[in-house]
Amino acid sequence: MRGYMLLCTMLACAQAHSHGGVFLEDDLCLIQVGFYKAHFTIYQPQTSQHKEFCEDVPHANETVFVMEYLHASLKEMSVDFRIINDVLGRGRFFREEDLKKIDDINRVTEFYQAPSVQQDGVFLALHQFQGEGNYVGVVTVNVRNDEKSHIAVFPFRVGGRKWGYIPLFITTAILLQLNYWLISGGYARIRKMLKLPAPTNKNKD
């Protein structure tokens, strides 16, 4: 039981960290940029029609990113969107501070949509992915009056899912469960049930 609970906890933590600036709330996919929020949806109309994705997408093809602003003030601000290759290999654990570790962000940029003001409150970006892999989305809200801009990053994968750290979590949970079973007398109960002789230590002179 402890091993199972540990596994659930570890997988839940991995899931919580995996989304970066994107998260689920009341079955809705949201992105948070600073204290601003927007509904966030990804579509692949060529292969998945109207199916909505919150993060990973299954195919390397035409992909539409949609943000529907939840704050009226966002309609007056310029927002830009960038997709970079995960050259750091951080995967699910890529965070905003990791952007500073990239010397030339333009060199690793897969797609960039320049800042624009969407007075209707809907931001759209269309990109044709050429290959599968791990990517990082970067959304920047350019605040007025020269205040500090707000940034949200969200790592995602295009194409088949890689297992990542999940096998490690499962193996750790199994070993912990086995250890708990041994120290709680599980082996002794099995030995007694099967009527096996108790192990003896023979000292050799």
Side-chain angles (χ1 to χ4, degrees):
M1 177 61 70
R2 290 184 180 179
Y4 175 77
M5 292 176 62
L6 177 63
L7 172 61
C8 292
T9 301
M10 295 173 75
L11 291 179
C13 290
Q15 182 70 12
H17 286 291
S18 70
H19 294 276
V22 174
F23 61 96
L24 283 171
E25 184 176 280
D26 298 328
D27 293 328
L28 292 175
C29 188
L30 303 177
I31 186 169
Q32 182 153 355
V33 192
F35 50 83
Y36 299 106
K37 289 183 181 180
H39 287 142
F40 183 77
T41 313
I42 307 176
Y43 298 94
Q44 291 197 312
Q46 292 181 349
T47 53
S48 302
Q49 287 75 48
H50 300 290
K51 184 175 181 180
E52 299 180 357
F53 300 95
C54 184
E55 188 178 35
D56 299 337
V57 291
H59 306 289
N61 57 21
E62 183 180 85
T63 305
V64 182
F65 298 84
V66 182
M67 288 187 292
E68 299 176 78
Y69 301 158
L70 296 179
H71 292 82
S73 56
L74 274 175
K75 299 178 182 180
E76 304 173 5
M77 301 180 187
S78 64
V79 176
D80 65 81
F81 179 52
R82 183 187 301 268
I83 299 173
I84 65 174
N85 293 287
D86 182 15
V87 293
L88 299 180
R90 295 278 291 156
R92 294 300 192 186
F93 300 98
F94 197 103
R95 294 294 178 265
E96 180 182 344
E97 54 267 26
D98 292 318
L99 292 173
K100 300 176 182 178
K101 301 175 183 178
I102 301 176
D103 296 331
D104 186 357
I105 196 168
N106 291 320
R107 181 178 58 83
V108 300
T109 295
E110 170 84 10
F111 170 81
Y112 180 67
Q113 185 155 308
S116 62
V117 177
Q118 305 298 327
Q119 295 184 343
D120 62 353
V122 179
F123 181 96
L124 296 173
L126 173 65
H127 177 56
Q128 175 74 39
F129 285 98
Q130 299 299 322
E132 298 183 352
N134 293 322
Y135 297 89
V136 180
V138 183
V139 177
T140 303
V141 173
N142 303 290
V143 184
R144 296 167 296 178
N145 301 323
D146 296 326
E147 296 180 20
K148 183 180 178 180
S149 298
H150 298 295
I151 297 177
V153 302
F154 60 95
F156 65 99
R157 178 164 180 81
V158 174
R161 161 64 56 198
K162 288 187 175 180
W163 286 101
Y165 291 93
I166 292 179
L168 175 61
F169 293 159
I170 294 176
T171 301
T172 302
I174 291 174
L175 291 175
L176 288 172
Q177 178 64 35
L178 179 60
N179 180 67
Y180 174 74
W181 178 73
L182 289 173
I183 64 176
S184 63
Y187 176 72
R189 288 192 296 271
I190 293 295
R191 190 181 68 240
K192 182 177 180 180
M193 184 176 62
L194 297 177
K195 298 180 179 180
L196 296 176
T200 58
N201 294 325
K202 296 181 178 181
N203 296 325
K204 294 182 178 181
D205 295 332

